Amino acid sequence: MVTNIAPEVTSQVTDEALVQRRRAQFVAAAVELFSSQGYYRTTIQDIARKAGVSSGLIYQYVRDKEDVLLLSLLSVLDSYKQEIPQALAGLTDPLERCCVAIDAYCRVVDQRREATVLAYRSTKSLSADRRALIKVSELESNDLIAACLRDCIAKGVFREVNVELVTYQLVTFAHTWALKHWRLKELSTLDGYIEQGIDFFTQALLTPKGWRQYRKLLESRHSKADFRSRPENPAAE
Amino acid sequence: MVTNIAPEVTSQVTDEALVQRRRAQFVAAAVELFSSQGYYRTTIQDIARKAGVSSGLIYQYVRDKEDVLLLSLLSVLDSYKQEIPQALAGLTDPLERCCVAIDAYCRVVDQRREATVLAYRSTKSLSADRRALIKVSELESNDLIAACLRDCIAKGVFREVNVELVTYQLVTFAHTWALKHWRLKELSTLDGYIEQGIDFFTQALLTPKGWRQYRKLLESRHSKADFRSRPENPAAE
DNA sequence: TTTCTGAATGAATAATCATTCAGTCAACGT
DNA sequence: ACGTTGACTGAATGATTATTCATTCAGAAA
């Protein structure tokens, strides 16, 4: 039996819907425990206790402990792939899309700060084949950002740069908010962090033509560089 | 007994020089093993075997396994604090110093790629008090970069930005070469990565006055953005 | 009701390892 | 020579924990 979520992880249990529900339940408990105590310090018994089931039950839904880690990490990456397209929905201006994507990425990272750190901590604890699945998923979510960049370049808003390399800088910028939160939280708020980041990246990338659009974009927004509230939402005005 | 390297780590052995030598020996073995297998999968017996000593001996030089990890991580951070000032020695132009510092940072990271990843993987496996020592050391090495930035701003070469925040972007840029090497190595060489990074950061930071200096700096260099060979080294011409 | 299926339990198993410690050895001072 | 000191060894100890499996149990089917 195989779920559509993670085809590589097999389960003893036949009821597809139940598998989904149980795994989500285990992963929720596991992400919390792995994030706070780390993978190796967390026992299957811990996860079972937090999920309110017996330790043996988990082995009906995964092959081994590493499978639980794999599912946990995939769930974190999935939340990126969920939230960013959602934030972009309906937006067409390439520059705006790019700024909103960065903004959204930083905000998911902020919401799942511990889980983001977990991904950096624990991906290497996976076997090579399982790690490969993570890499694929990571590249997919990077493509959400890369597409925005390519669009801006095609429209002459950003200068010609190595898209993939700049994508990594953007992605890392978002991740850093989680990875170095112990220090960054003393230097800035999340909003301030995003604002200075977008300021920095636009400075580095905008063409003269892009600058004109950027200024227009800022005017159509409420405050300086706040990309949270959407223009079609006049309540926030 | 206390060494000057890590005052918090105590040793049974009295001979100060011996303590230094043995610890260096253990740390060399440990960094290699931790990097390739991870902290928890590496046993004290593994480290002892690789270092060519008995497992019991290690406990004459550290309190527990976590101490070995602490010393290992501190040694990685120390290599940053060694190499960057060394690369900057003799240089006075603020802009040049800034570029050279970034260049040097990326190159240490490249040399100690696995160890850099180890720092991200394993810092959280330390107890809070030991982790605090790492944080202090990290801030110290960040200051090497921050000082260069402040200098450039004071001289009007860079615009006024939040120095600490930009420092983190620079530092993270260097670390990313190690963290995402599995992908980046397919996108660029180290030299290319550094070049595009410096290009990117200067675009974001330079003032008009700074631009004039930057162009002059590039001309005095051999190829475009190669900050490796020093001008006082005519052999490379 | 009785039977059957498969989900769920949790005690038992089998390893794995950090840490200790009784004992060896070599160097040195007397 | 001989006793002392301190580095060093490595087998033994004691915990911890992933994984298994004999059982229980609830509900569907007959």
Side-chain angles (χ1 to χ4, degrees):
Chain A
M1 297 304 136
V2 151
T3 80
N4 48 7
I5 286 189
E8 314 297 330
V9 180
T10 57
S11 167
Q12 305 282 103
V13 177
T14 52
D15 180 348
E16 198 64 15
L18 180 58
V19 172
Q20 303 262 1
R21 190 158 46 78
R22 282 300 198 195
R23 284 188 179 168
Q25 179 186 6
F26 301 154
V27 163
V31 167
E32 233 178 285
L33 289 165
F34 290 161
S35 294
S36 63
Q37 318 174 359
Y39 174 64
Y40 287 99
R41 297 193 117 85
T42 302
T43 69
I44 289 289
Q45 276 79 4
D46 288 340
I47 298 171
R49 197 176 320 119
K50 173 153 257 176
V53 299
S54 67
S55 56
L57 184 64
I58 293 178
Y59 285 90
Q60 306 261 7
Y61 293 89
V62 298
R63 283 164 302 178
D64 53 22
K65 191 183 171 189
E66 232 190 82
D67 263 353
V68 180
L69 179 58
L70 173 61
L71 291 174
S72 300
L73 296 179
L74 285 175
S75 93
V76 176
L77 295 178
D78 268 344
S79 66
Y80 300 156
K81 286 194 271 186
Q82 288 278 316
E83 304 261 358
I84 294 174
Q86 193 178 316
L88 292 177
L91 300 182
T92 54
D93 176 52
L95 181 55
E96 183 177 20
R97 285 175 63 85
C98 203
C99 292
V100 169
I102 297 170
D103 183 277
Y105 205 151
C106 290
R107 287 177 200 284
V108 205
V109 166
D110 183 59
Q111 275 159 28
R112 313 211 58 190
R113 220 183 299 142
E114 295 294 315
T116 300
V117 178
L118 175 66
Y120 277 80
R121 262 183 102 177
S122 299
T123 303
K124 274 221 168 181
S125 301
L126 294 172
S127 59
D129 53 331
R130 279 187 261 233
R131 192 158 62 242
L133 296 175
I134 298 291
K135 288 178 180 174
V136 168
S137 188
E138 180 173 318
L139 291 179
E140 281 168 13
S141 75
N142 280 4
D143 257 352
L144 299 173
I145 302 289
C148 292
L149 282 176
R150 271 189 220 102
D151 222 18
C152 281
I153 294 170
K155 291 283 190 301
V157 173
F158 285 167
R159 63 199 177 96
E160 307 256 351
V161 289
N162 185 326
V163 172
E164 303 241 41
L165 248 36
V166 174
T167 298
Y168 266 109
Q169 271 180 250
L170 287 168
V171 165
T172 315
F173 171 75
H175 291 172
T176 300
W177 176 251
L179 290 167
K180 304 298 181 184
H181 191 255
W182 58 273
R183 178 64 181 155
L184 292 175
K185 71 168 193 284
E186 287 167 3
L187 300 175
S188 176
T189 62
L190 173 63
D191 288 344
Y193 183 76
I194 294 174
E195 191 181 325
Q196 93 90 32
I198 289 180
D199 169 68
F200 190 89
F201 285 109
T202 51
Q203 281 278 347
L205 294 172
L206 285 174
T207 59
K209 174 186 173 187
W211 269 108
R212 266 171 271 135
Q213 297 210 14
Y214 186 57
R215 259 180 250 110
K216 229 185 295 172
L217 178 62
L218 287 187
E219 279 162 27
S220 80
R221 294 287 178 173
H222 325 291
S223 56
K224 295 156 295 182
D226 180 355
F227 290 95
R228 269 163 304 162
S229 40
R230 309 275 289 281
E232 65 266 34
N233 172 14
E237 193 71 58
Chain B
M1 297 305 138
V2 151
T3 80
N4 48 7
I5 287 188
E8 313 296 331
V9 180
T10 56
S11 168
Q12 306 282 102
V13 176
T14 51
D15 180 347
E16 197 64 16
L18 181 57
V19 172
Q20 304 260 1
R21 189 158 47 79
R22 283 299 197 195
R23 284 188 178 168
Q25 180 185 6
F26 301 155
V27 163
V31 167
E32 234 179 284
L33 290 164
F34 290 161
S35 294
S36 62
Q37 318 175 358
Y39 173 65
Y40 287 100
R41 296 191 117 84
T42 302
T43 69
I44 289 289
Q45 276 81 1
D46 288 340
I47 298 170
R49 195 175 324 117
K50 172 152 256 177
V53 300
S54 68
S55 57
L57 185 62
I58 293 178
Y59 286 90
Q60 306 262 4
Y61 293 88
V62 299
R63 283 163 301 176
D64 54 21
K65 191 183 170 189
E66 232 190 81
D67 264 352
V68 180
L69 178 58
L70 173 61
L71 291 174
S72 300
L73 295 179
L74 286 175
S75 92
V76 176
L77 295 179
D78 268 343
S79 66
Y80 301 156
K81 286 194 271 186
Q82 290 277 315
E83 303 262 359
I84 294 174
Q86 193 178 315
L88 292 177
L91 300 181
T92 54
D93 176 50
L95 181 53
E96 183 178 21
R97 285 174 63 87
C98 203
C99 293
V100 169
I102 297 170
D103 183 277
Y105 205 151
C106 290
R107 287 176 201 285
V108 205
V109 167
D110 183 59
Q111 276 159 28
R112 312 211 59 188
R113 221 185 298 143
E114 296 294 315
T116 300
V117 178
L118 176 65
Y120 276 81
R121 263 182 102 178
S122 299
T123 304
K124 272 219 169 181
S125 302
L126 293 172
S127 59
D129 53 332
R130 281 187 259 232
R131 193 159 62 242
L133 296 175
I134 298 292
K135 288 178 181 174
V136 169
S137 188
E138 179 173 319
L139 290 179
E140 281 168 12
S141 75
N142 280 3
D143 257 351
L144 298 174
I145 302 289
C148 292
L149 282 176
R150 271 190 221 101
D151 222 17
C152 282
I153 294 171
K155 290 284 189 304
V157 172
F158 285 167
R159 63 199 176 94
E160 306 256 350
V161 288
N162 184 325
V163 172
E164 302 240 42
L165 248 35
V166 174
T167 297
Y168 266 108
Q169 273 182 247
L170 287 168
V171 165
T172 315
F173 171 76
H175 291 172
T176 299
W177 177 250
L179 290 168
K180 305 297 182 184
H181 191 255
W182 59 273
R183 177 65 181 152
L184 292 174
K185 72 168 190 284
E186 288 166 3
L187 300 175
S188 177
T189 63
L190 174 62
D191 289 345
Y193 184 76
I194 294 174
E195 191 181 324
Q196 93 91 33
I198 289 179
D199 169 68
F200 190 89
F201 286 109
T202 49
Q203 282 277 348
L205 294 172
L206 284 173
T207 60
K209 175 185 173 188
W211 270 107
R212 266 171 271 137
Q213 296 211 14
Y214 186 57
R215 261 181 249 109
K216 228 184 297 172
L217 179 61
L218 288 187
E219 280 161 27
S220 80
R221 296 287 178 173
H222 326 290
S223 57
K224 292 156 297 178
D226 179 355
F227 290 95
R228 267 161 307 162
S229 39
R230 307 276 287 280
E232 64 266 33
N233 173 13
E237 195 69 59

